[in-house]
Amino acid sequence: MKINSPLEAYKFLPATNCGECGEATCMAFAAHLIDRSKKLTDCTPILQDKFKKKFEELDQLLAPEIREVEIGVGEKISKIGGDDVLYRHKLTFFNQTKLAYDVWDTMDEKDLVERVTYIQDFRKFYVGNFLTVDMVAVRCTSNDPKRFAAAVKKVVQTTDLPIILCSFNPDVLKAGLEVAKDRNPLLYAANRDNWKEVAELALQYDVPVTLFAPDDLDLLKSMAKTFAEMGTEKLVLDPGTFPTGKQLKQTFSNFVKVRRAGIDGDREIAYPIMAVPFTAWMAHDDPVSASYWETVVASVFTIKYGDIMILHSTEPYAMLPQLHIRDTIYTDPRKPVMVDPGMYKVGEPTADSPVLVTTNFALTYYTVESDISSNKIDCFLWAIDTDGIGVEAAVAGGQLTAEKIRKGIEDAGFDLKKDTTHNTVVIPGLAARLQGDVEDATGANVMVGPADSGRIPGWMEKNWPPQNK
Amino acid sequence: MTNKMKLKELSDMLQDLNVESLEGVTIEGDIELNISGGGGLNPALAYALGNEISQISLHMANIGRMLGFPAEQLFASAFGMGEMPQPGTLPSQSPKIQELLASKFEVSKIDNWKNSIQEVTLGATSADGGSRKSTVTLGGENALPYYFDAPMPHRNYITMDVFDMPIGMAKAVKGNYEDVINDPAEWAKKVVRDFNADMVTIHLISTDPLINDTPAKEAAKVVEDVLQAVDVPIVIGGSGNPEKDPEVLEKAAEVSEGERVLLASASLNLDYERIAKAAIDHGHVVLSWTQLEINAQKELNRKLMKQCNVPRDSIIMDPTTAALGYGLDYAYTNMERIRLAGLMGDDELTFPMSSGTTNAWGAREAWMVSSPLKQDSDWGPREYRGPIWEIVTGLALSLAGNDMFMMMHPTSVQVLKEITQTLYGSIEAQEIDISNWIGAEV
Ligand code: SF4
């Protein structure tokens, strides 16, 4: 983005404060443009013909430094790139690193379908959503266009996930494209030898293409410049992922250099970057070591600027940390993560079940929730609106008070006297000092739970049901 | 001669014109273009135009040949290896480029990293009044870790946890320590000898009044035993009880006089002055511990320096480690901001950092047998999940600028050492040719 203050964006807006964008004023909207929480097209008036010039100019100024590239079609379309900063706290990183897992064309058909289905269905619940992986990379190991086309066809029939077609042989890529052309697949890859033919394919079929120049940033940039000149900026850069030793150190430098140059404004190299942790398998024979090393390399390049990567290990112990480190780096640091405040049923609570209070800080809420549910405890779990702040800080900062707890329970239409047999609330150990106040505010019995929700099961054994009513 | 001129005009014209706006185009044998009207260039027309032009060029080439010029060679090289474009291929509107356009990659170094991170040495050899065989020096960076902007003077170091009493541990961890769980000295020996620990951390958790309330004096004996058992630098940790820790660490500092241990830790919620004084009096280093808050970290460092007079070379920071999936995003960014601020000149934050990476084992993904949620895909065997959780947690923080890691699982230690030292540049490996990785058999 070439501008960094709302004022600079404001100059281009219609200045009518009409409110169509959902903001009260053009200035407020301008601030959202700068922090990228709204799109310019949300201002419908500026789309009119008379503002055409201003729209185009502002659109240019707002474009992210790193180009955005789309892979796939429809609901599963994947965007990569689009970043404006080198450190997440400076804004946030956009378009999380896409994880592609490989299949290959010399695979048995049944195994291929099974693997693709597994990749497509893999999921892990986290903070209210499922973490999933993104793509299938089809490697040509046969060097036979027909065989490759057959494998791609099977993949296309099995999944809607976006596809990466992998071969250095243009005939093979063409055969794959013929089968998958409606799916906007990513071509992998053009290199020093085949770039002319691969460029032709990318242009002819109008698909994104990866440029592969292992440890040669001059070549990488030359190719990017040439492809842009020829008419496509749907490019992904692969500076080579060397899996070990000094070569890996060099790979790390290359990723940092390419991204820094792009963010600094060198348009010729400002494209998404691909990492191929798959190469870890070329350095390790034993599958556990290879999976571990692949995960390690993938983590490094999730943190340092990889926008898309091709992986091999589908072991849960490789996929789970990969999903989580990706989520870690791409979580928007500006937003406190919250759940909707309210009463949640965990398991199948009855009138005898306890009523537990926690905050609506998502990390706290889901930790408590899974601590309870994994121990098969039925209860009512109350997420009080603390603006997404954890228990200890919310008690100190006044976001968690007796009044808030009373109101939270009341707002949910829950009556402790009628809906429970015990008229009791359990507050978190870290909020112990609110006990008296909560008693006064709610007229209920208040018990103090453990400081760590991991100890709820033990606490329940000792303290539930309550002795004195 | 006249024909040649007209051909050049033709090509100039085609280049200048936006072909899409041509409508009626006819080409006569004498090479004249008649262009009229507006509208689109349809494929049939394009094909006819292409055909005409090709015919003309063949005609001209023949003339060339008659004049003795090797026109075929020109054609062959122009179309690449003598292959003529296949009939039926759609004419591409993009310019044909035969050679890669030259472009040199350039990137500048960061110019506002002007401050060095403080170097801090742990451990003391006999030359310096201690009994350690080797010492460990942290810090000294002038750039983010492993960056090309400036060489990193020291590698990352790992100190492994030892406890003064049996504690609850994840199964995957426990299996490694069952034989030494009641003997801290043997435990310390084992992590150095078998697991390649650079250092040992002795956690005096039994001193907690809510656990065993072991007197400080007794706990200090355990410290002496550990110092006897190993010759690497050590870290001494309290129980985390803010009332008891100052006393425990004072006694421990006393008995390890001259060994330059790291006292863990001073924090804002206990009497940090006593811990600072113990460090100064006995020549140790203080761990300045805060909870995920850069301003609190500045405040505590400032108090240690200004109010307690701890020398700059005797402070290490622990800005708190949260596990992967449990707040690592905060921990990562907090460290990254601290390190960047230090490099850019904030003297209150230019200290090496330490991470309690062992916290990763608190994540249920690290220790639970299987997912408590039915909707989840199978989590696979936990003995492989745990160590990688600890590795990725530590690895992320190493990239944020963390220097020293407190860890538990031997596999985690080994792999984290391998990757951090690879990025540091001290690991040699056989070169691997990845130019044809797609075809690799795996
Ligand atoms: S829609 Fe456009 S013109 Fe209307 S208030 Fe928003 S920014 Fe201003």
Side-chain angles (χ1 to χ4, degrees):
Chain A
M1 194 181 300
K2 299 295 177 210
I3 51 178
N4 51 29
S5 92
L7 212 60
E8 289 170 280
Y10 176 79
K11 287 191 296 206
F12 294 88
L13 296 172
T16 58
N17 299 335
C18 75
E20 291 272 331
C21 55
E23 293 301 315
T25 64
C26 295
M27 195 55 162
F29 181 68
H32 283 287
L33 290 176
I34 295 300
D35 72 15
R36 291 183 57 179
S37 54
K38 292 223 157 154
K39 294 195 301 280
L40 182 51
T41 48
D42 293 342
C43 167
T44 38
I46 206 175
L47 302 176
Q48 295 163 35
D49 251 5
K50 58 175 174 178
F51 293 120
K52 194 160 188 260
K53 209 170 149 262
K54 293 208 156 170
F55 171 81
E56 277 165 6
E57 274 178 64
L58 182 53
D59 200 41
Q60 273 290 317
L61 291 172
L62 293 171
E65 293 298 336
I66 306 301
R67 288 175 186 77
E68 262 180 347
V69 173
E70 289 182 345
I71 304 164
V73 290
E75 230 174 80
K76 296 278 183 182
I77 197 164
S78 268
K79 266 196 211 168
I80 58 174
D83 278 322
D84 265 322
V85 293
L86 289 171
Y87 311 107
R88 62 189 289 273
H89 66 270
K90 294 274 186 183
L91 183 65
T92 183
F93 289 152
F94 292 89
N95 299 329
Q96 56 182 11
T97 308
K98 297 300 177 299
L99 307 175
Y101 290 81
D102 77 327
V103 295
W104 49 102
D105 65 357
T106 47
M107 252 177 131
D108 185 76
E109 188 183 301
K110 193 174 132 274
D111 294 346
L112 182 140
V113 170
E114 212 171 274
R115 188 169 161 92
V116 170
T117 309
Y118 175 83
I119 293 164
Q120 169 185 271
D121 295 344
F122 191 87
R123 60 183 194 165
K124 157 83 162 59
F125 192 75
Y126 181 64
V127 197
N129 279 306
F130 282 102
L131 305 176
T132 56
V133 302
D134 311 283
M135 296 189 193
V136 177
V138 191
R139 291 190 296 128
C140 179
T141 43
S142 67
N143 205 29
D144 173 359
K146 282 210 194 79
R147 212 154 163 191
F148 186 66
V152 173
K153 193 165 179 191
K154 259 288 145 221
V155 175
V156 168
Q157 288 167 350
T158 312
T159 183
D160 290 336
L161 291 181
I163 295 166
I164 308 178
L165 302 174
C166 305
S167 173
F168 295 118
N169 179 344
D171 294 335
V172 167
L173 289 177
K174 189 172 166 65
L177 276 166
E178 272 308 314
V179 183
K181 60 180 173 232
D182 298 338
R183 299 283 289 272
N184 189 34
L186 171 65
L187 292 184
Y188 187 99
N191 62 18
R192 187 194 286 280
D193 303 319
N194 70 11
W195 66 268
K196 264 182 244 179
E197 293 88 341
V198 175
E200 269 307 307
L201 291 173
L203 288 163
Q204 187 189 339
Y205 289 89
D206 192 24
V207 291
V209 58
T210 314
L211 312 179
F212 179 49
D215 196 20
D216 188 344
L217 299 186
D218 289 338
L219 174 63
L220 192 62
K221 192 173 171 187
S222 288
M223 284 206 277
K225 185 178 178 183
T226 307
F227 275 59
E229 193 73 22
M230 291 171 91
T232 180
E233 293 193 351
K234 296 192 220 171
L235 306 178
V236 179
L237 309 178
D238 180 0
T241 303
F242 292 86
T244 52
K246 297 262 162 64
Q247 288 182 307
L248 176 52
K249 180 172 177 60
Q250 185 58 36
T251 299
F252 179 81
S253 289
N254 289 340
F255 273 63
V256 171
K257 285 178 179 175
V258 169
R259 182 48 44 92
R260 186 187 294 172
I263 295 287
D264 284 354
D266 182 350
R267 290 296 285 168
E268 282 181 12
I269 197 103
Y271 296 97
I273 307 177
M274 173 179 285
V276 185
F278 173 96
T279 57
W281 291 81
M282 300 168 83
H284 291 272
D285 294 330
D286 152 59
V288 176
S289 311
S291 288
Y292 258 55
W293 197 249
E294 184 182 59
T295 305
V296 161
V297 173
S299 301
V300 170
F301 295 116
T302 299
I303 297 168
K304 290 297 177 183
Y305 310 136
D307 296 292
I308 178 169
M309 52 181 71
I310 299 178
L311 300 146
H312 179 69
S313 179
T314 51
E315 293 291 342
Y317 62 81
M319 294 173 91
L320 293 173
Q322 267 152 19
L323 283 169
H324 275 288
I325 192 69
R326 190 246 315 252
D327 185 82
T328 297
I329 294 305
Y330 283 85
T331 295
D332 190 336
R334 297 168 298 176
K335 284 186 208 139
V337 241
M338 301 183 232
V339 296
D340 289 337
M343 192 267 280
Y344 294 85
K345 287 182 182 170
V346 181
E348 281 162 14
T350 65
D352 293 329
S353 305
V355 176
L356 308 180
V357 166
T358 186
T359 77
N360 75 326
F361 177 42
L363 222 53
T364 311
Y365 175 81
Y366 286 105
T367 307
V368 177
E369 195 265 354
S370 49
D371 284 334
I372 297 165
S373 64
S374 62
N375 285 287
K376 312 241 178 326
I377 296 169
D378 297 319
C379 73
F380 299 99
L381 182 57
W382 226 293
I384 303 297
D385 186 359
T386 59
D387 303 327
I389 295 172
V391 176
E392 198 171 17
V395 171
Q399 292 90 355
L400 184 60
T401 60
E403 184 50 29
K404 275 268 184 81
I405 292 172
R406 183 196 64 78
K407 195 167 171 304
I409 293 175
E410 215 172 80
D411 286 354
F414 195 86
D415 187 332
L416 282 163
K417 286 201 187 75
K418 281 204 207 115
D419 296 331
T420 70
T421 54
H422 48 71
N423 190 27
T424 300
V425 183
V426 184
I427 61 173
L430 293 172
R433 69 163 129 125
L434 300 180
Q435 186 175 22
D437 290 353
V438 178
E439 260 162 8
D440 294 348
T442 61
N445 307 313
V446 175
M447 297 172 78
V448 177
D452 183 326
S453 64
R455 303 211 190 108
I456 289 175
W459 183 89
M460 288 282 293
E461 251 165 56
K462 265 196 224 150
N463 299 290
W464 200 263
Q467 299 307 314
N468 50 344
K469 238 192 124 195
Chain B
M1 292 301 282
T2 322
N3 282 343
K4 203 173 170 183
M5 278 310 291
K6 282 195 175 173
L7 267 185
K8 182 159 181 351
E9 279 163 23
L10 169 66
S11 67
D12 284 350
M13 260 169 92
L14 285 173
Q15 230 164 34
D16 288 344
L17 287 166
N18 178 357
V19 262
E20 280 172 324
S21 68
L22 293 178
E23 195 193 34
V25 181
T26 51
I27 299 171
E28 309 287 342
D30 67 350
I31 318 170
E32 273 178 24
L33 281 173
N34 288 325
I35 303 161
S36 62
L41 176 75
N42 65 49
L45 199 59
Y47 188 80
L49 177 60
N51 182 36
E52 283 294 337
I53 294 171
S54 306
Q55 294 296 340
I56 295 163
S57 42
L58 270 182
H59 181 63
M60 297 310 295
N62 276 328
I63 298 172
R65 270 171 55 185
M66 286 189 302
L67 293 171
F69 181 76
E72 320 83 293
Q73 281 178 24
L74 186 71
F75 269 79
S77 73
F79 289 113
M81 306 315 288
E83 282 171 20
M84 297 295 282
Q86 304 201 348
T89 316
L90 281 171
S92 165
Q93 291 183 7
S94 50
K96 287 258 191 275
I97 295 181
Q98 297 305 325
E99 292 300 329
L100 283 173
L101 303 171
S103 192
K104 188 133 186 58
F105 179 85
E106 271 160 21
V107 69
S108 43
K109 292 190 175 180
I110 305 277
D111 57 13
N112 63 353
W113 291 347
K114 297 207 169 85
N115 231 21
S116 294
I117 302 305
Q118 175 69 47
E119 277 189 341
V120 175
T121 298
L122 295 171
T125 60
S126 56
D128 293 307
S131 65
R132 305 299 88 197
K133 209 167 146 213
S134 58
T135 63
V136 158
T137 301
L138 305 167
E141 295 95 337
N142 290 291
L144 281 184
Y146 325 124
Y147 270 43
F148 63 95
D149 299 84
M152 188 166 156
H154 306 289
R155 69 169 172 90
N156 303 94
Y157 287 92
I158 293 176
T159 175
M160 289 182 77
D161 296 325
V162 170
F163 294 85
D164 68 344
M165 61 177 281
I167 55 148
M169 285 184 252
K171 199 162 170 263
V173 175
K174 202 175 191 167
N176 299 288
Y177 301 115
E178 258 150 0
D179 53 335
V180 292
I181 206 139
N182 289 305
D183 188 337
E186 281 306 311
W187 192 338
K189 267 191 204 161
K190 184 169 187 178
V191 298
V192 174
R193 184 189 60 220
D194 297 351
F195 303 149
N196 204 14
D198 297 311
M199 296 178 52
V200 169
T201 304
I202 173 69
H203 295 276
L204 303 169
I205 54 163
S206 74
T207 57
D208 190 329
L210 297 175
I211 302 178
N212 287 351
D213 205 9
T214 306
K217 235 181 156 170
E218 241 174 76
K221 285 213 186 76
V222 176
V223 172
E224 286 178 301
D225 291 346
V226 170
L227 282 167
Q228 279 287 321
V230 296
D231 55 17
V232 295
I234 71 163
V235 182
I236 301 170
S239 66
N241 181 300
E243 275 76 49
K244 183 85 178 278
D245 271 3
E247 184 198 344
V248 170
L249 292 176
E250 273 169 356
K251 275 275 167 297
E254 217 175 287
V255 299
S256 50
E257 162 106 26
E259 299 285 8
R260 204 160 172 74
V261 306
L262 177 62
L263 297 176
S265 22
S267 71
L268 287 166
N269 70 356
L270 53 61
D271 192 349
Y272 54 84
E273 270 181 89
R274 285 176 69 184
I275 292 162
K277 186 166 184 304
I280 296 168
D281 289 352
H282 305 286
H284 301 310
V285 178
V286 180
L287 188 62
S288 167
W289 174 54
T290 57
Q291 284 175 294
L292 297 175
E293 229 296 289
I294 190 167
N295 291 315
Q297 189 69 61
K298 276 171 72 81
E299 184 189 341
L300 180 56
N301 293 352
R302 183 165 59 239
K303 287 185 161 148
L304 290 174
M305 287 189 291
K306 300 274 150 67
Q307 178 186 333
C308 311
N309 298 312
V310 179
R312 291 187 62 86
D313 68 358
S314 302
I315 297 175
I316 293 177
M317 302 182 280
D318 177 357
T320 293
T321 292
L324 176 63
Y326 295 84
L328 180 61
D329 48 334
Y330 299 105
Y332 171 87
T333 282
N334 188 43
M335 276 195 175
E336 189 172 62
R337 289 179 63 200
I338 287 172
R339 178 51 50 90
L340 286 170
L343 290 171
M344 290 190 289
D346 187 335
D347 279 333
E348 287 171 354
L349 293 171
T350 45
F351 299 99
M353 290 188 281
S354 170
S355 150
T357 316
T358 301
N359 288 352
W361 288 95
R364 58 173 49 93
E365 288 82 352
W367 59 266
M368 267 193 194
V369 178
S370 59
S371 174
L373 299 160
K374 276 200 280 302
Q375 309 96 299
D376 274 4
S377 297
D378 186 5
W379 280 12
R382 65 170 159 179
E383 60 267 37
Y384 295 137
R385 250 190 283 127
I388 195 90
W389 222 260
E390 191 178 12
I391 294 165
V392 173
T393 301
L395 174 55
L397 297 179
S398 84
L399 291 165
N402 188 66
D403 298 271
M404 185 172 90
F405 301 86
M406 302 194 180
M407 299 178 73
M408 279 232 77
H409 196 286
T411 305
S412 313
V413 170
Q414 185 206 327
V415 178
L416 193 69
K417 276 194 164 190
E418 180 82 13
I419 185 62
T420 53
Q421 288 175 37
T422 298
L423 295 174
Y424 171 72
S426 60
I427 303 272
E428 299 289 345
Q430 206 188 342
E431 297 214 336
I432 290 176
D433 178 9
I434 59 162
S435 61
N436 205 3
W437 71 266
I438 294 173
E441 296 271 342
V442 297

